Amino acid sequence: MARNITVGLSVLMGIGVFLFWNTAYPHALSYQEQYQLFLWTGDYLRERGGVPGGVADWLGEFIVQFYRIEWLGALLLALLFVALQQVVRMVTGFGLPSFVPSVLLFWLLGDPSVLLGYVMALIIAISSAGIMGYIGRKAERTRIAKIIGKWGDILIVPIIYWVVGPLAWVYVLLRIVGYAQKEGWRNGWKLGWIAVYLAVLQVVAYHFLLTQWQAEAVMLPMQYYRIPLMMNGLMWGIPLVIIILAGLSTFKKDFWQTSRTRRTSIVAPVIQAIEILGLAALTWAAISKGYDKDMYELIRQDYLVRNERWDEIVKRAQEYQVKTPFWSNCVNLALAQKRQLADRMFDFYQSGEDALLMPRVRDLTSMLPTAEAFWRLGMVNSAQRYMFDTQESILNGRKSGRCTQRIAECMLVNGHYRTATKQLNLLKKTLFYREWAQEAEALLGQEEKINAHPVYGKLRRLRYKEDFLYSYEEMDKMLGLLFMNNPENKMALDYFMGEMLLKGNLQGFQQYMGAVQQYGGYRMMPIGYQDAMRCIQMQGNVPGSPYANYAKRMMAGRRDS
């Protein structure tokens, strides 16, 4: 019965994990995929595998590239969760408690900075310990098994360390616990030399092979966390739980041997019920506490922007809002693409002067919606700069497939074909960007084809005719200049008018209302502009006015500051 319950829960867990990532959180998969650029080259493998833990890191990136196909990425993740549960069960002998590390891993992956290489390293370390333990138990039957069981760790430990990095300690501690269970806890110290052996290996690697690394990065699995010299506490908590379960497995066997008579029929179902309820509570805590609602809503909005799902952005904005400039940028871009910005802009939360286009922020996420807006406005150089800065802000030094593709497009539009070729050559070495790169390569130097392209040709007509520098404080002027450069650029006109309203430049807003009537393409004055004009005429005393509410909030914020 216990085995049937365990198998059934394994299948149920796999299905649940698949549905979670594929249905509820596909944007989380896209987020991970866009911050790496996996190259199918020997050089890339040698570079990743040239440091301890690099092989597991490479394997993690190999799987993450398939997140481009959301259902496939969710399926691979589900298989990894089941694999972790199975290897934990192999080394501990527990049934239902073997699910605890997988549930904790589910909690851990709510932190978007955790890399999948950690999962690969953990599975490799645990399964290797299980295999060596199995060989040790069979050592008495064959001579080869006896030799491997006695001396195999001398060869295995350096290999495990190089493959999984500091998580090799999981292997070492599981081997010690397994030996102690086999030979008796009083004799368990005899395999303690493996721990000393691994510590020496780490010190030698630090002093002779990894001199550019800090000591913490060599001793702790920080390479599996996107932010250098930091890590989530669960990254050590999960291995600790596995080691504790392995140590308790001996007491579990002794308990059931003394309960095999009349107590078994009573105790077993009660314990199983408690374990199932505990797993359910832990799973609920992992979902509710591990996945910050606001953070993942912003990730979702960026994912929808990337895939140009404008209607869905607006729909979600009506249901839930996150009061940040990032959220405002995403929603306003969607409204602009639907030509609803002039009508509905102030129906949604506006963060301030940065609600349309954010200033440069040195991190790997904040500038993405602004870069997308620059691209569609025709401010190609600004889009390229923001994408480049975003890519350079990936703290673990990876490239970004999404950013590299957009940078190549910007160079293509601007006619910088030699530098575009460098980006395209990288993308041609990938699996999911190769086809696009080959199509873009065919446009290099083909001016007529580029000018006739529905996207690139349009951007060439919309962009500035001359290159120049500007400051963020002059953004409204830049938008106005962009519109005057090409009056067909209605998005620039909408952003120009919206920027003046955000800044409270009411005189300029009234001055350019004639341009809206002449070039805006509206049959009647947009509702949002009508509301702003009433606020101007009534000096803000318009109950229920979206723009009046925004203006009062901004004025109150300035007084408080």
Side-chain angles (χ1 to χ4, degrees), residues 305-543:
V305 167
R306 182 184 184 185
N307 292 280
E308 300 185 344
R309 290 157 61 172
W310 313 120
D311 289 325
E312 193 170 344
I313 293 174
V314 176
K315 181 180 178 181
R316 292 195 63 84
Q318 293 171 330
E319 300 170 354
Y320 186 78
Q321 65 179 13
V322 184
K323 295 182 177 181
T324 64
F326 187 97
W327 186 89
S328 296
N329 272 228
C330 292
V331 175
N332 287 332
L333 176 57
L335 291 171
Q337 294 302 297
K338 301 295 294 180
R339 291 276 5 237
Q340 297 176 8
L341 186 65
D343 286 304
R344 306 180 62 190
M345 179 176 176
F346 290 96
D347 291 344
F348 300 90
Y349 171 78
Q350 301 298 327
S351 59
E353 296 179 12
D354 56 2
L356 284 168
L357 299 166
M358 287 178 59
R360 295 168 69 184
V361 180
R362 292 302 178 93
D363 65 37
L364 73 167
T365 305
S366 298
M367 294 185 290
L368 286 173
T370 308
E372 296 288 354
F374 278 141
W375 171 253
R376 289 164 177 80
L377 281 165
M379 299 178 69
V380 179
N381 289 349
S382 295
Q384 179 179 324
R385 183 171 67 252
Y386 270 48
M387 280 294 182
F388 180 83
D389 286 350
T390 295
Q391 180 164 254
E392 294 305 307
S393 298
I394 302 175
L395 296 178
N396 62 350
R398 302 295 191 261
K399 293 292 184 181
S400 163
R402 176 183 178 181
C403 293
T404 301
Q405 180 177 355
R406 183 48 52 83
I407 291 170
E409 288 183 303
C410 292
M411 292 177 174
L412 189 64
V413 170
N414 284 332
H416 301 156
Y417 301 128
R418 293 182 63 182
T419 48
T421 300
K422 295 174 63 177
Q423 308 297 325
L424 295 177
N425 285 339
L426 281 177
L427 295 173
K428 285 194 300 181
K429 296 173 183 177
T430 66
L431 182 60
F432 292 102
Y433 296 93
R434 179 187 296 121
E435 183 177 352
W436 177 87
Q438 291 172 343
E439 293 174 356
E441 188 178 42
L443 296 176
L444 294 176
Q446 303 297 319
E447 295 294 320
E448 293 183 0
K449 291 183 178 180
I450 295 176
N451 292 333
H453 193 278
V455 176
Y456 307 147
K458 178 183 177 181
L459 290 175
R460 281 192 167 186
R461 295 189 297 272
L462 297 181
R463 62 180 177 165
Y464 297 112
K465 304 305 180 186
E466 297 179 359
D467 291 335
F468 46 82
L469 299 175
Y470 68 93
S471 65
Y472 178 79
E473 288 72 19
E474 299 172 313
M475 186 61 69
D476 55 341
K477 298 178 182 177
M478 297 305 302
L479 293 168
L481 182 61
L482 187 66
F483 165 70
M484 289 186 290
N485 180 65
N486 189 335
E488 294 181 2
N489 193 344
K490 293 180 172 41
M491 181 178 173
L493 176 61
D494 292 343
Y495 266 59
F496 173 53
M497 300 297 287
E499 189 72 24
M500 286 191 291
L501 287 176
L502 290 173
K503 287 187 173 183
N505 184 3
L506 303 182
Q507 182 179 356
F509 174 77
Q510 295 180 84
Q511 179 182 349
Y512 285 97
M513 283 299 295
V516 173
Q517 294 175 340
Q518 183 176 358
Y519 298 105
Y522 300 107
R523 294 183 179 179
M524 57 180 295
M525 185 60 60
I527 296 174
Y529 293 172
Q530 293 180 35
D531 177 56
M533 291 298 293
R534 283 196 301 270
C535 289
I536 295 172
Q537 295 167 359
M538 303 295 293
Q539 297 183 346
N541 297 319
V542 185

Side-chain angles (χ1 to χ4, degrees), residues 6-44:
T6 302
V7 172
L9 282 180
S10 295
V11 175
L12 186 62
M13 180 183 68
I15 295 173
V17 170
F18 172 79
L19 293 176
F20 180 85
W21 295 108
N22 185 59
T23 305
Y25 279 75
H27 47 289
L29 301 180
S30 176
Y31 180 88
Q32 297 296 333
E33 184 276 332
Q34 73 183 15
Y35 292 121
Q36 69 168 50
L37 187 64
F38 185 89
L39 303 181
W40 287 70
T41 64
D43 290 342
Y44 190 78

